[in-house]
Amino acid sequence: MISALVVWLAVSSTGNLTIRELETTGQARLALYDSSLRAAIDRYRYLPYVVARHHQVIDAISDPQSAQIANFYLERVNDRSGAAALYVLDKTGMTVASSNWNTPDSFVGEDYSFRPYFSQAIAGNEGFFFGIGVTTGRAGLFISNSIRQNGAVIGVVVVKLELDELEMNWQEGGETVFVADADGVITLTSRGDWKYRTLSPLSDADRARIVRNRQYSGRDLTSLNVGQQLAKGSGIVTISSQRFLFDSKPIRGSDWRIYYLTSMDQVTDRQAAVMLIAIIGGGMIVLVILFLRERELKLASQREAREFERIQALNTRLEEEINERRRTEEELRGTQNELVQAGKLAALGQMSAAIAHEINQPIAAIRTFCASAKLMIERGKTDQLDQNIGQISSLTERMGAITGQLKTFSRKSTGVLEAVDLKIALNNALQLLSPQLDSENCTLERHEPETPLFVHADLVRIEQICVNIIRNALDAMENSSVKRIRIDLSSNRNDVVMRITDTGPGMNDETLSLLFDPFFTTKDPGQGVGLGLSVTYGIVRDFGGTIKAYNTTTGGACFEVRLPLLRDKKT
Ligand code: ADP
């Protein structure tokens, strides 16, 4: 688009420039042609005037006997001047003497009264007439002047100029120049084919007059039909489908006009050259742009390739890192499992005292029941034995329950995830902790829906979460006057939520911020190792859940665990 505009601008400005240049040259050439034509004419203009005053010429009119003398005189003068013919007409237009008196084309005896140059001169004016000679058949310019005797016009002197040489020079010059007379007939021209053509079609009256004058006898005087275009004096004209730039001016001392034409081919040629240059230049610019773009694209693709390699290398590194992390995670999970076990062991250690306490009592009771049974047997009161043995059996059952829970506690996670009802996991955990809850005289408050709350998890680990949090609550309430644990289970669209709230002293800011860090503990050595909550945190995260802790408004601590709800579990 832009390059087309540039080409158009270049071409049109070249056209304008060339036209202006040609106009200037045309004006100069026109002036030159005009002055050379005028010089050729002016050389002879005075001749009829001078000759008309010669006594031999005057005599020739009044005395036919002296005509021969005039013939000699005219012949001599004509030869000297280089005119085509010089001749004298009497008052009736009859030639009485002529420079060519002794040639076959002699004008002597010819009647030229029909010629305008005769009537003009007889009228006392200078005659100026271009036409084709009726005697010679050769075209020429006739300039005439009157012969006077005692003030009266008695005859006419005519000089005929043939401007062939001048016209030939014009033709040889190779330029386009022509002269048109008052009727628009081209009289002189460098273009042979335009000679005697008219600029505009002649009117009937003009044509009749020309025929009467026998001015251009034998010529068709067909029109070039360019009069309208030439009327402006200068501009552009189309002649025979060829375009010309033209300029013209009137020839002083005549009713002629001279025209100088320059072919517009020069303009179009130059425009074509400029267009070619502009197109080649434009093409080269386009090529350069294309080359640069190609190079830019190549560089860009190289850059992309490098970037791709870099990203690939990065990806490989990332992949390695991911693998590394996966390995580390596996190791960590292993470690976590171990920690869970370690946590359990710690809990086991803590529990053993309570268990010992729990079991010691029934053992002591059994021992007492055994001793009394022995006494009953000795005393023969065997009927009371049954009740005694029943009590022993219920005591052993209770002991069995305690040890049974210990077995559950020592279970290791299978690692297989399944639908786990949080309520069941909580029940198991509470069963496990019941000796401690009892010994601490802690009340338990549970709020939960009747429906199961399924999560996608591992039962043992969920139990572990509950055990860790509840055990911490029990520890925290060691010195509290009111020992109550409230457990709220609920679910929303996405999660199962478990809140465990105690009536302990709550946590200070430092504890809150470090709570889930491994080995963070505020308990005495031997009491806690600081692993419970960090393990809990890891388990909750593994199941896609979250855990947070905060103090309640009443001062106790609350642990809130959220695990994704397993909705499509069929119950
Ligand atoms: P440990 O019980 O062996 O100390 P945990 O990771 O289970 O390790 O607990 C870390 C610490 O968090 C505890 O030492 C205690 O200071 C604090 N903590 C945990 N639960 C409670 C609670 N319910 N009330 C007050 N502090 C608590």
Side-chain angles (χ1 to χ4, degrees):
M1 178 65 194
I2 289 170
S3 46
L5 192 74
V6 168
V7 170
W8 179 80
L9 273 175
V11 168
S12 73
S13 62
T14 306
N16 292 340
L17 273 175
T18 315
I19 286 174
R20 224 164 298 147
E21 207 178 294
L22 291 178
E23 273 170 359
T24 315
T25 320
Q27 279 163 7
R29 299 297 294 157
L30 182 68
L32 205 70
Y33 278 108
D34 173 46
S35 68
S36 71
L37 176 63
R38 270 194 296 116
I41 296 168
D42 289 349
R43 256 177 73 199
Y44 298 97
R45 206 148 198 167
Y46 69 94
L47 203 57
Y49 178 84
V50 173
V51 170
R53 272 144 192 84
H54 199 274
H55 65 95
Q56 286 175 345
V57 171
I58 298 169
D59 290 349
I61 294 189
S62 47
D63 177 16
Q65 297 301 316
S66 55
Q68 188 51 39
I69 302 168
N71 278 337
F72 285 129
Y73 168 71
L74 292 172
E75 187 181 1
R76 239 182 9 257
V77 174
N78 189 56
D79 282 354
R80 267 295 166 85
S81 68
L86 187 63
Y87 51 103
V88 177
L89 310 177
D90 66 13
K91 232 161 59 173
T92 64
M94 189 68 75
T95 311
V96 292
S98 173
S99 61
N100 60 2
W101 62 275
N102 60 349
T103 64
D105 291 336
S106 170
F107 293 169
V108 178
E110 297 287 343
D111 179 4
Y112 293 118
S113 58
F114 59 89
R115 290 293 210 187
Y117 62 78
F118 170 72
S119 34
Q120 283 162 356
I122 282 293
N125 302 317
E126 184 191 49
F128 193 87
F129 174 79
F130 185 88
I132 296 170
V134 284
T135 314
T136 57
R138 292 169 60 88
L141 176 64
F142 300 86
I143 304 171
S144 62
N145 221 307
S146 51
I147 308 168
R148 289 169 191 267
Q149 197 174 38
N150 303 324
V153 177
I154 56 162
V156 172
V157 175
V158 187
V159 65
K160 180 183 179 186
L161 320 176
E162 284 178 4
L163 298 166
D164 302 12
E165 207 178 316
L166 183 87
E167 216 174 9
M168 219 135 78
N169 286 343
W170 287 5
Q171 276 169 16
E172 279 167 8
E175 294 181 317
T176 307
V177 59
F178 66 79
V179 173
D181 69 9
D183 293 315
V185 178
I186 296 174
T187 51
L188 297 170
T189 172
S190 62
R191 296 271 304 251
D193 53 336
W194 289 355
K195 187 119 177 161
Y196 304 124
R197 303 288 298 273
T198 61
L199 302 181
S200 307
L202 289 170
S203 69
D204 291 344
D206 288 341
R207 193 174 280 277
R209 177 174 43 79
I210 290 166
V211 169
R212 218 169 35 246
N213 295 341
R214 295 202 241 163
Q215 192 172 359
Y216 300 112
S217 31
R219 307 295 166 167
D220 293 342
L221 303 181
T222 50
S223 177
L224 284 171
N225 284 317
V226 292
Q228 292 279 83
Q229 301 174 56
L230 291 173
K232 273 183 277 173
S234 64
I236 292 173
V237 62
T238 306
I239 306 178
S240 314
S241 68
Q242 201 185 347
R243 271 156 48 87
F244 295 95
L245 192 68
F246 79 95
D247 198 1
S248 69
K249 63 192 294 187
I251 296 172
R252 210 175 55 218
S254 74
D255 49 8
W256 290 0
R257 202 173 175 90
I258 183 163
Y259 295 85
Y260 180 84
L261 285 74
T262 319
S263 173
M264 284 288 281
D265 287 355
Q266 281 194 45
V267 179
T268 41
D269 283 358
R270 218 182 273 189
Q271 278 180 322
V274 168
M275 180 137 84
L276 199 72
I277 292 169
I279 288 172
I280 291 173
M284 277 171 72
I285 290 170
V286 168
L287 275 179
V288 167
I289 290 170
L290 283 179
F291 170 75
L292 289 176
R293 270 229 340 237
E294 177 74 27
R295 215 178 60 164
E296 181 54 33
L297 283 176
K298 216 157 138 187
L299 287 176
S301 76
Q302 280 173 358
R303 269 202 304 274
E304 264 171 34
R306 275 201 301 273
E307 185 67 0
F308 179 71
E309 276 171 22
R310 203 178 64 82
I311 289 172
Q312 223 175 17
L314 216 68
N315 276 351
T316 320
R317 230 177 51 217
L318 261 174
E319 241 167 73
E320 281 168 9
E321 260 173 43
I322 287 169
N323 288 338
E324 181 65 33
R325 260 160 217 233
R326 202 167 286 145
R327 274 198 301 277
T328 317
E329 207 177 284
E330 274 164 21
E331 278 170 23
L332 272 176
R333 190 159 293 136
T335 315
Q336 196 191 51
N337 268 333
E338 282 163 22
L339 283 175
V340 170
Q341 282 308 107
K344 282 181 191 171
L345 286 175
L348 202 62
Q350 281 183 347
M351 275 195 302
S352 39
I355 292 165
H357 176 73
E358 281 294 312
I359 290 180
N360 275 347
Q361 266 184 339
I363 287 175
I366 289 170
R367 201 176 283 138
T368 314
F369 282 128
C370 283
S372 62
K374 207 173 160 190
L375 272 173
M376 281 173 192
I377 292 166
E378 278 171 11
R379 288 177 194 165
K381 291 180 182 169
T382 46
D383 53 329
Q384 289 172 15
L385 263 180
D386 192 32
Q387 191 195 356
N388 209 325
I389 288 169
Q391 275 166 330
I392 290 172
S393 137
S394 80
L395 281 170
T396 50
E397 255 168 45
R398 186 166 167 207
M399 285 161 65
I402 293 168
T403 50
Q405 279 167 15
L406 280 177
K407 218 161 88 194
T408 316
F409 193 66
S410 66
R411 247 177 357 180
K412 203 171 173 179
S413 151
T414 55
V416 181
L417 300 190
E418 58 195 350
V420 172
D421 183 358
L422 191 60
K423 278 160 74 177
I424 293 175
L426 182 67
N427 288 343
N428 291 349
L430 288 172
Q431 213 170 23
L432 210 59
L433 290 165
S434 69
Q436 272 169 287
L437 287 165
D438 290 348
S439 65
E440 294 285 340
N441 276 329
C442 176
T443 30
L444 196 66
E445 209 178 294
R446 276 178 77 166
H447 298 272
E448 58 197 29
E450 282 182 5
T451 50
L453 297 167
F454 283 111
V455 290
H456 190 57
D458 166 1
L459 181 67
V460 176
R461 284 171 181 248
I462 296 291
E463 284 171 17
Q464 186 67 46
I465 292 172
C466 302
V467 167
N468 286 353
I469 296 173
I470 296 168
R471 201 158 42 81
N472 277 341
L474 279 172
D475 290 348
M477 292 187 296
E478 192 180 3
N479 300 317
S480 301
S481 51
V482 180
K483 297 184 182 182
R484 188 174 63 241
I485 293 178
R486 176 185 165 130
I487 302 175
D488 290 277
L489 296 184
S490 64
S491 69
N492 57 30
R493 265 167 59 83
N494 303 313
D495 300 320
V496 171
V497 186
M498 173 170 73
R499 283 191 198 90
I500 300 176
T501 318
D502 61 46
T503 50
M507 300 151 286
N508 62 22
D509 286 350
E510 193 206 351
T511 306
L512 273 173
S513 65
L514 299 170
L515 210 55
F516 299 106
D517 286 0
F519 303 108
F520 171 78
T521 179
T522 54
K523 295 172 191 168
D524 295 335
Q527 291 288 305
V529 287
L531 286 174
L533 286 180
S534 97
V535 168
T536 302
Y537 182 89
I539 296 171
V540 172
R541 197 199 49 204
D542 278 357
F543 296 148
T546 54
I547 179 167
K548 63 178 181 183
Y550 50 87
N551 292 323
T552 65
T553 45
T554 49
C558 176
F559 281 77
E560 181 185 297
V561 176
R562 278 173 189 269
L563 291 166
L565 172 70
L566 186 64
R567 236 171 302 158
D568 50 4
K569 163 73 191 172
K570 307 265 184 306
T571 52

